[in-house]
Amino acid sequence: MTADQARGLALALPEAVEQDHHGFPSFRVRGRIFATLPDDATLRVLVDEDAVEEAVAAAPAQCSVLRWGAKISGVAVHLPAADPDTVADLLADAWRRRAPVRLRRAFDAQSE
């Protein structure tokens, strides 16, 4: 998977936008970051600890734990080894964590 493909998946989510974050792209919903792209090989996805553990256990060649200091803050996806479905699922989970309730409900209803 390429950085451009990951960007496309992130921006396909409702109201997702790309903005600079300390010199590299971030993906946001209503101002709240749900993923960043610090380089062409890495996508950082801000999911909860349960999702991190699940992703790392299911796909250790694709995913590793992302830490902010001592705290687990998400998953780092190694894009060249990544499966598009895994990336799409992680991005959707991260987007749901940051999206407002009404927007999340509308997205979930449309996805059913």
Side-chain angles (χ1 to χ4, degrees), residues 23-25 36-44:
F24 54 85
T36 62
L37 192 60
D39 58 60
D40 286 342
T42 308
L43 178 68
R44 295 177 181 161

Side-chain angles (χ1 to χ4, degrees), residues 3 28 31 38-40 42 46 49 52-53 62 65 67 70 88 99 103:
R28 303 169 189 241
D39 58 60
D40 286 342
T42 308
L46 307 178
E49 283 191 44
V52 171
E53 290 175 19
Q62 299 176 46
V65 175
R67 295 187 181 275
L103 186 57

Side-chain angles (χ1 to χ4, degrees), residues 96 104-112:
R96 280 185 184 91
R104 189 172 59 238
R105 284 183 186 154
F107 175 70
D108 290 340
Q110 183 181 24
S111 298
E112 292 178 351

Side-chain angles (χ1 to χ4, degrees), residues 4-108:
D4 284 340
Q5 290 170 319
R7 174 181 279 111
L9 291 172
L11 294 175
L13 294 163
E15 296 188 28
V17 297
E18 182 176 334
Q19 292 182 334
D20 180 75
H21 180 70
H22 303 287
F24 54 85
S26 70
F27 304 98
R28 303 169 189 241
V29 58
R30 299 217 181 149
R32 300 184 71 198
I33 296 173
F34 64 91
T36 62
L37 192 60
D39 58 60
D40 286 342
T42 308
L43 178 68
R44 295 177 181 161
V45 187
L46 307 178
V47 292
D48 65 24
E49 283 191 44
D50 291 337
V52 171
E53 290 175 19
E54 185 179 314
V56 171
Q62 299 176 46
C63 301
S64 60
V65 175
L66 176 64
R67 295 187 181 275
W68 181 262
K71 181 182 180 229
I72 294 175
S73 60
V75 64
V77 179
H78 181 60
L79 291 173
D83 170 67
D85 290 335
T86 299
V87 174
D89 289 345
L90 287 167
L91 286 167
D93 286 349
W95 179 91
R96 280 185 184 91
R97 290 184 71 215
R98 303 293 192 216
V101 173
R102 286 185 184 170
L103 186 57
R104 189 172 59 238
R105 284 183 186 154
F107 175 70
D108 290 340

